[in-house]
Amino acid sequence: MKLFVCQACSNVLYFENRACERCGHRVAFLPEKEMLSAIEPDGTAWATLADKGKGRMLCANAEFDACNWLTEPGSSDLYCRACRHNGTVPDLSDPTQLAGWRELEVAKHRLFYSLSRWKLPLTTRAEDPAHGLIFNFLADDPYSGQRIMTGHDNGLITIALTEANDIERERRRLEMGEPYRTLLGHFRHEVGHYFWDVLVRGGGKLDEFRAMFGDEQIDYGQALQRHYAEGPPPDWQQSYVSAYATTHPWEDFAETWAHYLHIVDTLEMAAEFGMEVRPRIDRDGELTARIRFNPYMAADVEKLVNAWLPFTFAINSVNRAMGARDLYPFILSPAVIGKLGFVHELVRGATKAGSR
């Protein structure tokens, strides 16, 4: 994620800003330029100070303070390129559900920032009724007791609204023995299943995938039951990024995909702040890193990992000094780095195809 600057007063802006705290200008995100812009009224539309554009429209979800993106230039779409993938949203007349949906939209827009940076192939449900990417944000039914489960089914991603409740999300984290559980993590994981369909199966990469992750043709239902009954193997950290990744090759890929997005986007933020890790006791340089590169353009996964390991060692140590949990409580073994490399090459290949 980048830092941004207000074109009206040069104040630093963050991705979720709706207005500049210094000069009061409304700000909006230009997805085609990957930047925030101060905006001013232009009749019934908006003028963008970043590129002197005219007649730009805010996404219709800005009405609910759930989106700060502009629609495409010259487009008649009511929704931005992120919100075009929304299906069912909660009852927005309910203040609690509206507040929860806004939290989900924050995470979804950060996801789409990354997908747009890489120019990954995305189709809406309107464009591809059978396989297009669509998000349903659903609330539990208080009358029937039905609980919504977050998951993916052939391009349809269901996100449980209750995950926006910090207390409920923490309860589920503890119940499932997870070291980490966030809304953004859910989005990144579930969209990994979608891109498995698009880039692995649809991209003719099944043989390479099976050599790295295993045979996805094994029964998924049985694998899931076995995982919850027996747990992960005792040596799982040698080959998997998380315990849940041991469940099935599909889950291994989705977890690896999510962690790849975690790494790249966090390193971009670190680079924006000019972060450098150079411990005084590090005599051989293994814990030293100068993060001065664009991770979205990294030529190989080793460049990412060589910056990530010292960075997370330092940040985890800082968190512990505050009595907080580790920011990144995971181990990247050689086998896991190999899987991250597989995802890296998939993304790079799709990026090159999208840039043609």
Side-chain angles (χ1 to χ4, degrees):
M1 183 56 66
K2 296 179 182 178
L3 292 171
F4 304 93
V5 175
C6 175
Q7 294 80 15
C9 70
S10 300
N11 187 37
V12 174
L13 301 173
Y14 299 92
F15 183 63
E16 283 83 20
N17 279 143
R18 267 52 168 169
C20 176
E21 297 296 331
R22 177 185 291 171
C23 70
H25 266 81
R26 187 163 187 169
V27 298
F29 188 68
L30 284 67
E32 77 282 359
K33 295 183 179 295
E34 299 163 1
M35 68 169 63
L36 271 180
S37 176
I39 59 176
E40 296 177 342
D42 177 28
T44 58
W46 297 90
T48 51
L49 275 61
D51 60 355
K52 311 302 181 186
K54 299 286 187 180
R56 295 297 297 268
M57 301 300 294
L58 280 165
C59 175
N61 283 335
E63 174 187 354
F64 304 100
D65 194 26
C67 180
N68 68 335
W69 286 29
L70 295 166
T71 60
E72 305 293 331
S75 170
S76 60
D77 286 327
L78 295 177
Y79 296 97
C80 70
R81 67 169 62 172
C83 292
R84 287 200 302 264
H85 292 273
N86 283 7
T88 303
V89 299
D91 178 4
L92 303 185
S93 67
D94 181 330
T96 300
Q97 294 196 28
L98 174 59
W101 178 55
R102 286 173 177 157
E103 291 296 317
L104 295 179
E105 286 293 345
V106 169
K108 190 200 77 181
H109 281 75
R110 282 192 170 245
L111 168 69
F112 273 87
Y113 169 86
S114 295
L115 304 183
S116 295
R117 288 293 308 272
W118 280 309
K119 297 180 174 60
L120 293 178
L122 290 165
T123 57
T124 65
R125 214 62 167 184
E127 295 164 333
D128 182 354
H131 307 290
L133 180 63
I134 184 171
F135 293 87
N136 283 349
F137 306 106
L138 304 180
D140 293 345
D141 188 337
Y143 302 105
S144 68
Q146 180 186 15
R147 292 178 59 187
I148 300 298
M149 302 301 293
T150 294
H152 169 268
D153 181 16
N154 201 24
L156 169 61
I157 293 176
T158 299
I159 302 291
L161 183 65
T162 190
E163 289 284 351
N165 183 303
D166 292 341
I167 295 175
E168 175 62 20
R169 192 170 62 253
E170 177 65 5
R171 187 191 67 77
R172 293 188 181 192
R173 184 190 72 80
L174 294 171
E175 185 180 83
M176 302 183 74
E178 298 171 338
Y180 165 91
R181 190 179 182 93
T182 68
L183 294 180
L184 187 52
H186 283 317
F187 277 94
R188 286 172 170 166
H189 173 96
E190 298 304 338
V191 87
H193 289 298
Y194 171 78
F195 280 108
W196 186 89
D197 290 341
V198 174
L199 301 180
V200 177
R201 184 175 60 191
K205 302 290 185 181
L206 278 175
D207 289 342
E208 296 96 319
F209 168 82
R210 289 168 182 166
M212 184 70 67
F213 293 88
D215 187 355
E216 84 291 348
Q217 297 175 98
I218 63 174
D219 188 273
Y220 180 80
Q222 292 179 7
L224 199 63
Q225 289 180 3
R226 182 170 59 251
H227 173 75
Y228 286 119
E230 303 173 7
D235 61 346
W236 66 266
Q237 289 181 319
Q238 298 298 315
S239 302
Y240 301 91
V241 74
S242 70
Y244 189 62
T246 68
T247 304
H248 187 277
W250 283 336
E251 299 301 345
D252 192 8
F253 177 83
E255 284 287 271
T256 305
W257 175 278
H259 280 255
Y260 180 76
L261 267 64
H262 289 335
I263 290 168
V264 171
D265 202 41
T266 305
L267 284 178
E268 185 182 42
M269 190 83 270
E272 289 286 289
F273 277 99
M275 289 187 178
E276 180 175 352
V277 180
R278 190 170 57 184
R280 282 178 288 183
I281 63 170
D282 183 26
R283 303 189 178 235
D284 55 14
E286 289 187 0
L287 297 178
T288 297
R290 295 182 74 247
I291 307 173
R292 298 288 192 276
F293 64 96
N294 180 356
Y296 281 92
M297 299 295 292
D300 53 60
V301 77
E302 286 75 19
K303 188 174 184 67
L304 299 173
V305 171
N306 289 341
W308 184 246
L309 294 180
F311 172 75
T312 52
F313 181 82
I315 296 299
N316 285 350
S317 299
V318 170
N319 276 21
R320 292 176 189 183
M322 286 292 293
R325 290 197 301 267
D326 287 354
L327 174 74
Y328 190 73
F330 302 95
I331 295 172
L332 299 185
S333 67
V336 170
I337 293 171
K339 292 174 180 179
L340 288 168
F342 178 86
V343 172
H344 179 76
E345 292 305 319
L346 271 183
V347 169
R348 278 176 55 82
T351 298
K352 290 177 183 177
S355 300
R356 289 172 189 163

